Amino acid sequence: MLAQFGFGVFVLTFLLSLFSMVTAVLGYFNKSDRWVETARRAMLLTFPLITLAALTLIFLLVSGHYELEYVYSVTSNAMPLYLKITALWGGQAGSLVLWSWLMAAFASAVTLRKWERDRELLPWVIVVTSVTLAFFLSLSIFYENPFVRWWQTTGGEFVQRMFAPAGAIAITPTDGQGLNPLLRHPGMILHPPMLYLGFVAFVIPFAFAIAALVTGRSDDRWIRLTRQWTLVAWLFLSLGLVLGMRWAYDVLGWGGYWAWDPVEIAALMPWLTGTAFLHSVMIQEKRGMFKQWNMLLIILTYSLVIFGTFLTRSGVLSSVHAFSQSAIGPMFFAFIGITFVTSVALLLYRWKDLRSDVEMSSMFSREALFLLNNLLFMGVLIVCFWGVIFPLISELVTGQKVTVGPPFYQRANAPLFGALMALMGVAPLSAWGKSTFKTLGRALWKPSIPSAIVPLVLVILGVRNWIAMVGFTLVALVIFVTLFEFWRGARSRQKKTSEVFLVSLWQLARRNRRRYGGYLIHISMVVMAIGILGIELYQTTTQKTLAVGEDIQIAGYTLHYDSLAQFPYTDGRIVTRAVLSVFQGGKFLGELYPRYDYYPSGQPMTIAGVRSTLADDLYVVLVNWENVSAAQTPFKVYHNPLVNWLWIGSLIFIFGFLVAAWPVSEADIQER
Amino acid sequence: MTIWRHEMQNSPRTGVQGRVKFIIGGLLILAAVIYLIVSSTQANAEYFMTVNELESKAASLVGRSLRISGAVVGSTIHYDPQTMNLTFDIANVPGDNASIELGGGLAAVLHAAVTDPKRTRLTIIYNGPQPDLLRDEAQAIVTGHLGDDGIFYADELLLKCPTKYQDAVPSQVVNGN
């Protein structure tokens, strides 16, 4: 009964969002405020309705209604309550429900704001959000319905249907399969909602952009109104990516955090255009330039968000070739195609109105460097997109399936990322409008001196890898330039106000939060780069089959194999756990506990034993479960230098973000 | 602000001449990106093929980076835990989804490949722990290169057991509602 109720609410919400869309369009063309108001109210209703349906689904998950195929596939009796709740996004059907839920929440939040001043934008914001919402709801209703249940047909076959096939009997399994153990990890529990929050929040700036295009407003009002949305979208997308990396590092047991597989790239691509957008809107706000470009960027971001949802929705797609096997595929491509073409057509229609107020004059002005930043992000995007579609293209053209692996992305992207880092070092010192090579050089030489010491120190330390030299020097440059900017700003304020230096620093950051928060985010990015350079360039690995009492050596460490135990855990999994002691130069440093959990459903999970310090991680994996004994245990050991800085950088990132995005009053937005 | 903008628009530096250097700059970046993509693609392309395709083009592929998929022949698996040397044979299975569907699904296709002695086989050598999933009639996707000796030296081993996770039909059921 509950399932039918949930499904009914879904259908109702779907119809309501279509109604909202139609009345908004009619209201705009008939210039009828009452129609638009009706559309707005309909939009507002979608959120409580989807909440009702989602809560119904959560209740069904928690109470073990295994007669529903979705509940059966992602929960089991042995799972704790919090995992049963988070199983809402443990599978494809449920994660689409989460998407719609977030979409309705954001759409409602936007329509709730005071609309006196920009009322002409409202109907089109409603149209875009309700079209998007209706699309995702239609997927849930027609293709990935989380409320379908099990039936046994007269032929004895088990089928999944919403309504009873003729003569079929309803069946109710007593237990479910349970959530894939790989997904039972804090990183994985938070990762999908974070990513989705980021994805969905980008729909809002897109909706305002389209509204501005339709209504013919060429000012930057749409950007100012959605600035907070863009920032929030970007924060959650970034966090979603980092959490995904952390999850891969902790759970997948291959010693790395990022494998350049199509699913990861699909989540990275909207981040690339989103980051470019975040930078280039500043030029439009300050100088009235790049208007067409910003429109294009947000349109691209929206399309990539939908594409990313399609690829990542279940988190299990490992190959682009699986496209054809899902009925959902053509729907997604049609939707992306239609929205992209419509949006670009609209942009071309308004192209002339969106010409820049001023022309760029200097190659070294801040806006020119921002443009360069955008081009580099686009470059990375093209590399990623090429890598994803290359197998399809080569198969079409030559009939031979050719794929490109991680080395392709690393090689093609590394110079682009390096250039982006160099820009982070240089651009903050350039001025708007007119900035010449000379003025830029004058500003740059002071912070360059301490960074120039870095390669010297590295050579003395014995580093000979030129990529590492360039990389760490750029890291140092960005950090010194940024700190120098803080110091310079606080110093000049201090002279005027005669405050204590720290007070000046605080006031400075408080009054230009966006700028100095942005600088902190730059620092966080290069701190992350330290970790990435460390693990990418200096990771070493070794493998050996050990008997208890034997040793294995790596990077100056000795690991002594102490013992092995195998025991069942309360939720039915069988745990195989080894104990190793870590020594360095004869000194005992601690113990490591690599584990191999084998779930009754037949799914294994490798949990590495990790010793993590600021200098390096020691990462030990127990490779197998079958035929493993104390006399014969295969281990794989990774030495990952500096990788901890990747996670430290992400904490700095959150801090910098809070500085940059702490809500500013509406009056403040007008003023700037 | 307005006055300044006015000046900017009338300054002699803007206009066609001012624009040209930006267009050239942009083209240079585009060229660099294209160069990076083309050279990286050439250096890192992995040819994805079946055992049969490999057999027919073997001579031209020695040393190239390849990904081969096939069915694991259980009786050929040899593993030395001390040296971690692992060898096994894979038998040819069709590469496209359509033929797999025609053959009755992946599990049936893999079974047919292993039980048919006439299928082309390829010997794989891999150094590393023997994965639990490496068993008879599993699908193996190996990445590596073909040696002069006709043996495939794998750097990476990916295994799929079609029967293992596809427990899509409830096992314990009670009838009724």
Side-chain angles (χ1 to χ4, degrees):
Chain A
M1 256 332 276
L2 269 176
Q4 279 92 322
F5 171 74
F7 184 70
V9 173
F10 250 64
V11 174
L12 188 65
T13 323
F14 173 66
L15 296 174
L16 196 65
S17 54
L18 288 181
F19 171 78
S20 169
M21 177 188 79
V22 172
T23 42
V25 173
L26 290 176
Y28 176 78
F29 286 112
N30 296 331
K31 297 194 169 45
S32 157
D33 220 30
R34 276 183 53 206
W35 284 71
V36 175
E37 188 57 28
T38 309
R40 190 171 87 106
R41 293 201 177 150
M43 192 80 237
L44 283 174
L45 256 183
T46 56
F47 177 60
L49 280 175
I50 298 186
T51 305
L52 198 60
L55 289 178
T56 308
L57 184 56
I58 290 175
F59 176 78
L60 291 165
L61 285 165
V62 168
S63 55
H65 279 260
Y66 301 119
E67 75 272 15
L68 296 191
E69 195 272 334
Y70 185 69
V71 177
Y72 170 80
S73 67
V74 295
T75 63
S76 67
N77 290 333
M79 270 164 57
L81 180 67
Y82 76 98
L83 279 179
K84 286 182 181 170
I85 296 173
T86 58
L88 176 64
W89 52 85
Q92 184 175 310
S95 52
L96 285 173
V97 173
L98 178 68
W99 218 104
S100 301
W101 199 8
L102 292 172
M103 184 70 249
F106 289 178
S108 299
V110 157
T111 44
L112 263 180
R113 71 180 288 279
K114 291 196 288 288
W115 275 96
E116 292 121 11
R117 193 174 145 185
D118 309 285
R119 202 151 174 105
E120 78 263 31
L121 296 179
L122 175 62
W124 292 100
V125 170
I126 293 177
V127 169
V128 174
T129 49
S130 58
V131 165
T132 312
L133 182 60
F135 170 67
F136 278 94
L137 287 173
S138 72
L139 291 181
S140 288
I141 293 168
F142 300 112
Y143 293 96
E144 291 291 340
N145 184 348
F147 295 109
V148 292
R149 61 159 302 153
W150 287 109
W151 304 92
Q152 192 167 24
T153 60
T154 41
E157 250 185 299
F158 292 105
V159 294
Q160 309 141 20
R161 295 276 188 285
M162 188 68 226
F163 302 103
I169 39 170
I171 54 165
T172 307
T174 50
D175 197 358
Q177 285 181 306
L179 195 61
N180 183 338
L182 292 178
L183 305 182
R184 302 181 195 185
H185 175 272
M188 209 36 169
I189 288 166
L190 286 174
H191 162 73
M194 290 285 171
L195 212 55
Y196 280 13
L197 276 169
F199 279 0
V200 179
F202 265 126
V203 177
I204 305 298
F206 172 73
F208 277 81
I210 294 298
L213 282 178
V214 176
T215 56
R217 279 183 71 156
S218 60
D219 59 356
D220 59 6
R221 186 73 187 152
W222 70 274
I223 288 172
R224 285 170 196 269
L225 288 173
T226 57
R227 184 195 283 158
Q228 302 292 335
W229 285 102
T230 309
L231 280 175
V232 166
W234 191 68
L235 168 77
F236 283 116
L237 196 49
S238 310
L239 288 182
L241 286 167
V242 170
L243 283 168
M245 291 183 202
R246 182 73 209 208
W247 168 77
Y249 190 71
D250 285 350
V251 172
L252 295 185
W254 52 273
Y257 58 95
W258 185 264
W260 291 106
D261 93 22
V263 173
E264 293 169 346
I265 293 168
L268 178 68
M269 286 196 295
W271 186 87
L272 294 169
T273 52
T275 311
F277 178 72
L278 209 63
H279 286 92
S280 74
V281 291
M282 287 187 245
I283 314 290
Q284 181 167 351
E285 287 180 37
K286 298 263 187 201
R287 301 291 308 272
M289 298 159 96
F290 292 178
K291 291 178 187 173
Q292 300 141 339
W293 178 243
N294 284 333
M295 284 288 176
L296 191 62
L297 276 181
I298 195 68
I299 291 169
L300 262 180
T301 306
Y302 176 79
S303 299
L304 289 171
V305 156
I306 306 292
F307 183 65
T309 311
F310 163 53
L311 268 184
T312 55
R313 74 225 137 114
S314 58
V316 293
L317 260 184
S318 62
S319 154
V320 277
H321 304 108
F323 282 173
S324 53
Q325 289 162 3
S326 168
I328 251 182
M331 286 283 289
F332 262 102
F333 280 119
F335 185 74
I336 294 171
I338 292 167
T339 50
F340 185 76
V341 169
T342 314
S343 314
V344 171
L346 207 51
L347 173 59
L348 292 177
Y349 176 66
R350 296 286 183 198
W351 193 255
K352 282 192 174 154
D353 304 340
L354 293 172
R355 268 192 305 228
S356 294
D357 302 349
V358 286
E359 284 210 21
M360 210 178 302
S361 54
S362 162
M363 289 283 251
F364 298 97
S365 63
R366 185 172 285 196
E367 53 267 36
L369 296 179
F370 266 98
L371 178 63
L372 185 56
N373 143 305
N374 271 236
L375 292 177
L376 289 170
F377 272 112
M378 288 300 110
V380 179
L381 177 76
I382 295 169
V383 168
C384 291
F385 194 69
W386 173 254
V388 173
I389 61 162
F390 180 63
L392 300 173
I393 292 180
S394 74
E395 202 175 0
L396 271 178
V397 175
T398 63
Q400 172 67 57
K401 210 183 283 178
V402 187
T403 58
V404 286
F408 162 78
Y409 296 102
Q410 285 156 358
R411 212 191 109 147
N413 281 333
L416 298 172
F417 281 127
L420 277 171
M421 276 163 72
L423 261 189
M424 273 197 268
V426 175
L429 298 174
S430 68
W432 297 107
K434 287 176 182 173
S435 183
T436 61
F437 188 70
K438 230 176 173 177
T439 56
L440 195 56
R442 254 207 304 270
L444 199 59
W445 73 269
K446 274 188 211 160
S448 300
I449 292 173
S451 355
I453 298 170
V454 170
L456 295 178
V457 174
L458 288 176
V459 169
I460 293 167
L461 287 175
V463 174
R464 293 291 178 269
N465 183 325
W466 69 271
I467 301 175
M469 303 259 232
V470 173
F472 287 118
T473 308
L474 287 173
V475 168
L477 179 74
V478 175
I479 290 177
F480 286 125
V481 163
T482 314
L483 293 180
F484 180 68
E485 274 293 286
F486 274 100
W487 181 81
R488 203 173 61 162
R491 191 74 201 172
S492 74
R493 188 187 156 84
Q494 195 187 10
K495 272 185 193 147
K496 268 184 269 169
T497 58
S498 63
E499 294 162 343
V500 184
F501 180 75
L502 282 177
V503 175
S504 278
L505 191 65
W506 167 255
Q507 290 294 342
L508 179 80
R510 206 178 67 94
R511 298 199 174 222
N512 306 285
R513 278 209 297 259
R514 200 168 166 208
R515 180 168 179 187
Y516 289 98
Y519 286 166
L520 283 173
I521 291 176
H522 280 181
I523 289 190
S524 80
M525 289 293 155
V526 294
V527 169
M528 287 172 153
I530 296 175
I532 293 170
L533 285 167
I535 188 171
E536 293 293 339
L537 297 174
Y538 291 106
Q539 182 181 56
T540 49
T541 171
T542 182
Q543 52 191 23
K544 207 171 170 187
T545 305
L546 294 183
V548 166
E550 287 183 333
D551 291 346
I552 184 168
Q553 266 94 19
I554 187 166
Y557 293 97
T558 302
L559 283 86
H560 182 78
Y561 182 20
D562 293 325
S563 64
L564 183 79
Q566 207 166 69
F567 51 88
Y569 193 69
T570 45
D571 60 1
R573 68 182 128 155
I574 297 162
V575 178
T576 309
R577 182 169 173 269
V579 182
L580 295 101
S581 304
V582 184
F583 296 91
Q584 190 179 31
K587 196 175 143 232
F588 174 74
L589 294 177
E591 286 184 336
L592 289 177
Y593 312 101
R595 249 168 57 201
Y596 195 93
D597 293 6
Y598 193 81
Y599 282 80
S601 53
Q603 290 151 312
M605 179 160 163
T606 319
I607 298 170
V610 184
R611 179 176 186 275
S612 198
T613 68
L614 291 182
D616 56 7
D617 274 22
L618 210 52
Y619 184 104
V620 184
V621 184
L622 187 60
V623 185
N624 277 7
W625 173 69
E626 281 170 16
N627 314 320
V628 163
S629 67
Q632 215 172 70
T633 320
F635 288 100
K636 196 155 184 176
V637 188
Y638 297 85
H639 180 246
N640 297 332
L642 300 172
V643 69
N644 232 333
W645 292 95
L646 180 55
W647 320 122
I648 293 169
S650 46
L651 294 178
I652 302 176
F653 172 84
I654 296 175
F655 176 68
F657 177 85
L658 289 176
V659 172
W662 205 259
V664 192
S665 67
E666 179 85 2
D668 212 10
I669 294 176
Q670 315 282 358
E671 175 197 315
R672 273 194 250 166
Chain B
M1 201 65 177
T2 9
I3 298 164
W4 180 74
R5 275 185 189 172
H6 181 71
E7 277 173 7
M8 288 290 296
Q9 271 160 354
N10 289 335
S11 85
R13 288 174 59 98
T14 51
V16 181
Q17 266 186 332
R19 225 177 261 172
V20 167
K21 62 181 175 186
F22 286 101
I23 292 172
I24 293 173
L27 287 177
L28 281 178
I29 292 169
L30 188 69
V33 170
I34 290 173
Y35 166 75
L36 283 171
I37 289 178
V38 171
S39 66
S40 307
T41 307
Q42 278 170 350
N44 298 297
E46 279 173 359
Y47 291 78
F48 199 97
M49 41 180 63
T50 62
V51 178
N52 275 352
E53 286 167 347
L54 178 73
E55 196 74 12
S56 61
K57 302 178 198 162
S60 63
L61 291 171
V62 172
R64 276 255 177 95
S65 192
L66 304 171
R67 291 182 89 175
I68 313 292
S69 110
V72 175
V73 184
S75 58
T76 60
I77 301 174
H78 292 288
Y79 178 61
D80 176 1
Q82 280 316 309
T83 59
M84 289 196 171
N85 278 331
L86 175 66
T87 65
F88 59 94
D89 287 2
I90 56 173
N92 183 62
V93 285
D96 56 313
N97 289 328
S99 350
I100 290 173
E101 289 302 314
L102 262 178
L106 190 55
V109 168
L110 289 169
H111 177 73
V114 171
T115 46
D116 177 4
K118 276 182 262 165
R119 289 286 174 102
T120 325
R121 289 186 180 184
L122 177 69
T123 303
I124 314 285
I125 292 185
Y126 173 76
N127 185 255
Q130 177 181 359
D132 287 340
L133 288 177
L134 184 77
R135 53 184 65 171
D136 199 30
E137 294 178 18
Q139 186 193 15
I141 298 170
V142 290
T143 308
H145 66 275
L146 188 66
D148 293 323
D149 47 8
I151 290 173
F152 192 84
Y153 295 88
D155 309 315
E156 206 186 301
L157 212 57
L158 200 81
L159 292 152
K160 287 182 193 166
C161 279
T163 46
K164 203 152 186 183
Y165 302 132
Q166 285 185 353
D167 196 16
V169 168
S171 44
Q172 319 127 298
V173 295
V174 286
N175 288 343
N177 225 329

